[in-house]
Amino acid sequence: MPRASSKRDDTAASEPDALPFEQAIERLEALVERLEDGELDLEASLSAFEEGVALSRRCAGQLDAAERRIEILVKEGGETLARPFDEVADDEEAG
């Protein structure tokens, strides 16, 4: 029997921008699990999918912003150099 969405799910769906990054990822993982279970009715599945897309886009934007901040912080010779995060971490471990 399909599960109905709970009130908590409805609140989270209406305010995905209010969640911190880590909670947004957890929520996205929970939505994926519910969708993979295949127990939601069509309307609940569509709602979960829409929320998942919004959360995914939000998290991707936050990661892009974090990457830009890292690029700004990594400077050599007064110029900002864009380097992969792994390379920055390797330099810090070596130094």
Side-chain angles (χ1 to χ4, degrees):
M1 178 134 210
R3 288 185 277 173
S5 63
S6 68
K7 185 173 184 164
R8 181 182 177 278
D9 292 344
D10 294 340
T11 301
S14 65
E15 301 174 12
D17 290 340
L19 295 176
F21 179 81
E22 292 79 10
Q23 288 180 358
I25 289 293
E26 289 175 9
R27 177 71 183 148
L28 183 57
E29 289 172 348
L31 287 169
V32 169
E33 187 176 311
R34 288 181 67 206
L35 286 166
E36 287 177 343
D37 284 346
E39 295 182 15
L40 298 175
D41 61 25
L42 179 60
E43 196 59 39
S45 293
L46 287 172
S47 178
F49 182 79
E50 288 173 351
E51 180 183 356
V53 169
L55 287 167
S56 176
R57 288 179 179 160
R58 179 176 182 273
C59 289
Q62 287 182 305
L63 289 174
D64 288 342
E67 184 177 2
R68 286 191 302 271
R69 288 178 63 189
I70 290 168
E71 289 173 355
I72 291 169
L73 294 172
V74 177
K75 293 186 178 189
E76 289 184 17
E79 293 184 30
T80 301
L81 300 175
R83 298 189 306 185
F85 184 74
D86 291 341
E87 187 178 317
V88 174
D90 291 344
D91 288 350
E92 288 177 357
E93 289 175 7

